[in-house]
Amino acid sequence: MKEITYLEAIKQAMDEEMTRDPSVFILGEDVGIYGGAFRATEGFLEKYGDLRVLDTPLSESGFTGAAIGAALVGMRPIVEMQFADFISCAFDQLVNVAAKNHYRWAAATPIVVRAPYGGNIHGGAFHSQCIEGFFFKCTWIKNRCPFYSI
Amino acid sequence: MDIKREDLLQLYYYLKLTRKLEDRFSSLYHQGRILGGAWTSNGTEAISVGYSYALEKNDIAAPYFRDMGCFLVRGITPKRLMAQYLGKKTGVSAGKEGNVHVGDLNFGVIGFPSHLADNYAVGAGAALAFKMRGEKKVAVACTGDGGTSRGDFHEAMNLAAVRKLPIVFICNNNQYAYSTPLKLQMAIKNVAERALAYGMPSRIVDGNNVVEVFTVARETYDMARNGGGPTFIECKTMRMHGHSEHDSAKYVPRELLEEWKKRDPILQMEKYLIGNDITTKEELDSIDIRVKKEVEDAELFAEESPYPNPEDCLKGVYATPIEEE
Ligand SMILES: Cc1ncc(C[n+]2csc(CCOP(=O)(O)OP(=O)(O)O)c2C)c(N)n1
Ligand SMILES: [Mg+2]
């Protein structure tokens, strides 16, 4: 098997899914014109257009809530947190809305939230936190943290 | 104004149904028969009835907790709502949740998360999906005056305006957020001024006039449906009960309540219908009898319904992935 970086793997997975399923779309800060702070969506805007690769205003809670609403009516959003650290601003929408919809009123909320950290960028206290621990208590959200794979 | 007679009578019917059903929730609460709290929209029913009745079938609503009229107009039955309040298996959430913290996508109602204004963002997301798919549908989201100070209110308004999403944002301005009066919540005179900052048009309506709420909602939905973008509608009204049924609201000046009592939405609608020769007292009485019976039947149904099984509380944490269905 060809060896690729995490970034390439994520990019390839998103690309394949977006080609396969028109309900998949990406939203977040600088994901479109710039191709993502970590370049995970480079070239996507040209390929999929600005409604499926949506540059949002700087508003983690707002666009996470919007992803939830879109998922409730049949879309499959992928939310990009520019850096994992900023997921704290969307904490409420994730743990109180997305996570509980199905249990409370049987509405599935299939959203994927990408929260990149690490990468050896010397990010300091606001750009290098391992945030998955915040969500361990919230069993209703599935936590996935790939760290080594061959 | 071109509202059909049957629609006007339906608006009256839903106002009455909302009032009577919530009155019953209130009584049951005071008898200790409700699980959890009981909030009512008493005195402000025209808002949720009006904005919901103006929707088309395939549109979607993201209400807040004073929007019982939305549940009813969209077709969630008094039976299921009463069972919901009594914590029964036949309730909207099958006993998982209490009172108004529910929704049902089969009726185009997004569940209300307690955290106020969250549904502004969720509603905007539904509108975003409609726009992406080129569907001629609209979303409506509602919150209270208090909720308009939260970040999600502002983030959702901004996103919707920037992307010209097909959504109408409603604010039930009932002058209080729990005990906090408007003047301690914001330094502006009208909540609608908030829309200006986002480049979004706004309207201010008499929230106690169901015909006005309906008409303005319909106009703004039409605009949104045809690519004209979002509108913010401030509905001026007054909360006539306490914040919740446990609250005697001693902090609200009695004169203010007396004043607003004269503007009761049901009273106004009765006057309008009879004053304009649209209907007769007898016809309205017959609607009232129908409503009374529906509420009684709902209670009977809810009382006879079973509670969920204890093991049900462990079910439904995760949705079934499509390939496993
Ligand atoms: C984010 C958030 N904080 C606090 C509460 C608790 N709470 C419930 S209702 C309420 C007041 C709401 O006032 P308003 O938005 O004006 O709605 P109203 O009750 O007047 O209809 C508060 C503080 C809440 N539900 N959500
Ligand atoms: Mg209020």
Side-chain angles (χ1 to χ4, degrees), chain B residues 192-264:
Chain B
E193 288 164 42
R194 295 201 190 287
L196 206 62
Y198 302 107
M200 189 187 298
S202 67
R203 304 281 290 267
I204 296 178
V205 303
D206 174 359
N208 284 23
N209 182 332
V210 74
V211 175
E212 192 176 325
V213 176
F214 169 80
T215 307
V216 173
R218 195 171 59 173
E219 271 171 38
T220 55
Y221 295 160
D222 278 350
M223 186 169 105
R225 212 183 291 285
N226 293 306
T231 304
F232 179 76
I233 305 176
E234 174 183 0
C235 305
K236 302 244 191 221
T237 186
M238 178 69 205
R239 195 189 74 203
M240 299 303 286
H241 279 194
H243 167 62
S244 142
E245 294 308 288
H246 76 271
D247 171 24
S248 59
K250 291 209 177 77
Y251 47 83
V252 178
R254 296 297 108 170
E255 314 79 68
L256 194 59
L257 292 174
E258 285 310 314
E259 182 81 16
W260 279 87
K261 206 171 172 182
K262 294 181 209 138
R263 298 172 55 183
D264 181 82

Side-chain angles (χ1 to χ4, degrees), chain B residues 70-271:
Chain B
C70 175
F71 290 138
L72 291 168
V73 170
R74 299 244 85 197
I76 301 179
T77 60
K79 285 183 178 165
R80 289 180 73 207
L81 290 162
M82 183 63 85
Q84 169 70 18
Y85 263 81
L86 297 187
K88 298 298 181 79
K89 203 179 166 87
T90 51
V92 190
S93 72
K96 292 263 183 62
E97 258 282 18
N99 48 65
V100 284
H101 295 90
V102 285
D104 186 342
L105 287 175
N106 296 316
F107 297 90
V109 181
I110 289 178
F112 164 63
S114 198
H115 296 55
L116 288 164
D118 281 9
N119 253 359
Y120 259 46
V122 176
L128 177 65
F130 297 156
K131 181 165 178 156
M132 284 174 178
R133 298 193 295 238
E135 296 168 353
K136 275 204 149 192
K137 298 178 189 171
V138 297
V140 61
C142 188
T143 196
D145 46 284
T148 71
S149 293
R150 266 210 67 230
D152 280 47
F153 169 90
H154 297 273
E155 295 189 17
M157 293 274 286
N158 188 44
L159 178 67
V162 168
R163 290 284 173 169
K164 276 197 151 210
L165 301 182
I167 182 164
V168 172
F169 294 109
I170 312 266
C171 173
N172 171 326
N173 177 0
N174 61 11
Q175 328 236 7
Y176 281 85
Y178 208 147
S179 67
T180 309
L182 269 184
K183 66 173 190 294
L184 295 180
Q185 296 181 51
M186 57 193 82
I188 46 179
K189 191 157 161 274
N190 300 304
V191 185
E193 288 164 42
R194 295 201 190 287
L196 206 62
Y198 302 107
M200 189 187 298
S202 67
R203 304 281 290 267
I204 296 178
V205 303
D206 174 359
N208 284 23
N209 182 332
V210 74
V211 175
E212 192 176 325
V213 176
F214 169 80
T215 307
V216 173
R218 195 171 59 173
E219 271 171 38
T220 55
Y221 295 160
D222 278 350
M223 186 169 105
R225 212 183 291 285
N226 293 306
T231 304
F232 179 76
I233 305 176
E234 174 183 0
C235 305
K236 302 244 191 221
T237 186
M238 178 69 205
R239 195 189 74 203
M240 299 303 286
H241 279 194
H243 167 62
S244 142
E245 294 308 288
H246 76 271
D247 171 24
S248 59
K250 291 209 177 77
Y251 47 83
V252 178
R254 296 297 108 170
E255 314 79 68
L256 194 59
L257 292 174
E258 285 310 314
E259 182 81 16
W260 279 87
K261 206 171 172 182
K262 294 181 209 138
R263 298 172 55 183
D264 181 82
I266 295 179
L267 221 66
Q268 275 202 59
M269 188 57 173
E270 275 169 9
K271 268 195 212 142

